[in-house]
């Protein structure tokens, strides 16, 4: 299933839905009410409920439900994660370009490089990426596969790690390159709107191998990143095992699995985002997450 959160008809309250046939939306909340079925009203609740809620959602969608065009609704971020665990330097070519332009280590890391992004950084499809020129002149992009945790994970073996995944989405790991502080990335990567997230969460059964997905990113229609998740240094299972060795991953937590090469800081000369730009991050079998850059001064 391609699960999403949306608003429609001017309503303030987001609704739980599913994308069908690529460009149509089914209202799972309305379907459950009409059928007298018990179903959480938001995606985080569905994730926490687990198998029974997923089974109910599938049953509701199996009966050719009424849908509306995707263009008639406003998509929100699928959910607000409890925590976002970012992964740095997780593609070989990105390690090389980061060493050349961002003074990171030349050698490939022997363990995942981890950092946190607060949930307040999340914005949804179409949500503005805030460009505050008083804080940054080097606002950059990073298209990343997002892993949404479905079952609590603590000290999980790599062989069992994917059993804890609910599904997959896209995170654009926006970074103010000139706001790193003594090597710390929190403010550089954690400001409001620096985690565009969506447009959907695709359940794990539809992506049995997360290491075989094309991903790309365009700025104003121009291709900037083009790679495949098979080039990760540390795959999804290894990341879950490593993080959970000391940190409990809870349902609804998100792992942003790292960026391939092609970031603005690595270009010659460097190029960074400006107000008026449109950033489109695409991952195979998930879709495209598009966000405009706006002046936030």
């Amino acid at each position: 299933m391609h699960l999403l959160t949306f608003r429609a008809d001017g309503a303030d309250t987001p609704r739980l839905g599913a994308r069908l046939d690529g460009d149509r939306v089914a209202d799972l909340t309305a379907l459950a009410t009409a059928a007298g079925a018990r179903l959480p009203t938001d995606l985080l609740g569905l994730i926490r409920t687990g198998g029974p809620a997923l089974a109910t959602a599938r049953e509701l969608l199996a009966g050719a439900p009424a849908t509306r065009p995707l263009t008639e609704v406003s998509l929100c971020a699928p959910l607000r994660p409890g925590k976002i665990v970012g992964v740095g330097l997780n593609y070989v070519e990105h390690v090389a370009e980061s060493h050349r332009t961002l003074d990171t280590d030349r050698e490939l890391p022997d363990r995942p490089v981890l950092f946190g992004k607060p949930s307040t950084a999340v914005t949804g499809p179409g949500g503005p990426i805030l460009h505050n020129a008083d804080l940054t002149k080097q606002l950059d992009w990073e298209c990343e596969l997002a892993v949404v945790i479905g079952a609590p994970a603590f000290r999980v073996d790599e062989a069992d790690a994917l059993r804890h995944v609910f599904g997959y989405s896209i995170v654009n790991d926006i970074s103010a390159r000139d706001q790193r502080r003594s090597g710390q990335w929190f403010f550089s990567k954690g400001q409001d709107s620096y985690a565009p997230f969506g447009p959907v969460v695709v359940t794990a059964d539809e992506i049995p191998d997360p290491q075989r997905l094309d991903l790309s990113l365009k700025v104003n229609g121009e291709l900037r990143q083009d790679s495949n998740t098979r080039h990760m240094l540390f795959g999804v299972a290894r990341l879950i095992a490593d993080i959970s060795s000391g940190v409990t991953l809870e349902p609804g937590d998100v792992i942003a699995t790292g960026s391939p090469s092609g970031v603005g800081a690595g270009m010659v000369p460097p190029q960074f985002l400006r107000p008026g730009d449109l950033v489109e991050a695409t991952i195979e079998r998930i879709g495209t997450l598009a966000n405009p850059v706006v002046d936030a001064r």
Side-chain angles (χ1 to χ4, degrees):
M1 287 185 293
H2 292 216
L3 298 168
L4 52 81
T5 300
F6 72 98
R7 288 188 176 93
D9 305 323
D12 293 330
T13 303
R15 301 179 71 82
L16 175 63
R19 187 177 69 192
L20 302 177
D21 301 321
D23 60 356
R24 300 193 67 84
V25 173
D27 186 335
L28 278 167
T29 302
L31 290 173
T33 300
R38 298 189 64 178
L39 190 72
T41 57
D42 59 73
L43 184 50
L44 184 57
L46 188 150
I47 292 170
R48 288 173 172 167
T49 304
L54 271 176
T56 298
R58 288 194 174 97
E59 290 174 5
L60 292 170
L61 295 173
T67 62
R68 64 170 69 192
L70 189 61
T71 54
E72 290 185 1
V73 305
S74 175
L75 294 185
C76 311
L79 59 103
R80 183 166 177 171
K83 53 183 171 287
I84 304 169
V85 182
V87 182
L89 306 175
N90 201 27
Y91 287 75
V92 174
E93 292 181 352
H94 184 53
V95 173
E97 74 176 356
S98 295
H99 170 70
R100 186 179 69 251
T101 60
L102 296 172
D103 300 322
T104 56
D105 290 340
R106 180 192 301 272
E107 293 77 16
L108 299 181
D110 56 7
R111 295 184 62 189
V113 177
L114 306 175
F115 60 91
K117 291 175 81 86
S119 60
T120 48
V122 167
T123 189
I129 297 169
L130 304 179
H131 185 294
N132 185 342
D134 294 332
L135 292 177
T136 182
K137 302 294 192 296
Q138 298 180 2
L139 195 64
D140 210 342
W141 57 82
E142 294 186 353
C143 177
E144 306 194 3
L145 176 68
V147 179
V148 180
I149 298 298
F154 183 66
R155 296 180 179 173
V156 170
D157 291 333
E158 188 171 343
D160 296 326
L162 294 186
R163 298 179 184 177
H164 296 261
V165 175
F166 177 84
Y168 300 94
S169 190
I170 304 170
V171 163
N172 188 352
D173 180 17
I174 299 296
S175 309
R177 302 295 187 189
D178 46 0
Q179 280 289 348
R180 290 180 298 154
R181 300 179 179 184
S182 299
Q184 298 299 310
W185 295 351
F186 182 80
F187 198 72
S188 168
K189 290 176 171 285
Q191 294 182 49
D192 288 6
S193 81
Y194 279 21
F197 175 38
V200 299
V201 174
V202 179
T203 51
D205 60 295
E206 296 201 13
I207 302 179
D209 186 355
Q211 306 307 148
R212 294 180 179 274
L213 299 172
D214 289 333
L215 69 168
S216 62
L217 183 140
K218 295 179 180 179
V219 178
N220 300 328
E222 297 182 3
L223 186 66
R224 300 295 173 85
Q225 294 187 285
D226 187 14
S227 189
N228 188 285
T229 55
R230 67 175 177 270
H231 298 304
M232 286 183 190
L233 288 173
F234 307 105
V236 171
R238 172 69 184 280
L239 293 173
I240 293 171
D242 183 81
I243 296 165
S244 72
S245 67
V247 175
T248 298
L249 291 168
E250 300 175 308
D253 286 350
V254 169
I255 303 172
T257 57
S259 170
S261 61
V263 300
M267 300 180 71
V268 182
Q271 297 185 26
F272 297 106
L273 295 172
R274 299 179 179 180
D277 288 343
L278 177 67
V279 189
E280 299 171 286
T282 299
I283 298 183
E284 180 184 3
R285 305 183 70 173
I286 298 174
T288 296
L289 173 66
N291 298 88
V293 182
V294 303
D295 192 334
R297 284 180 296 181

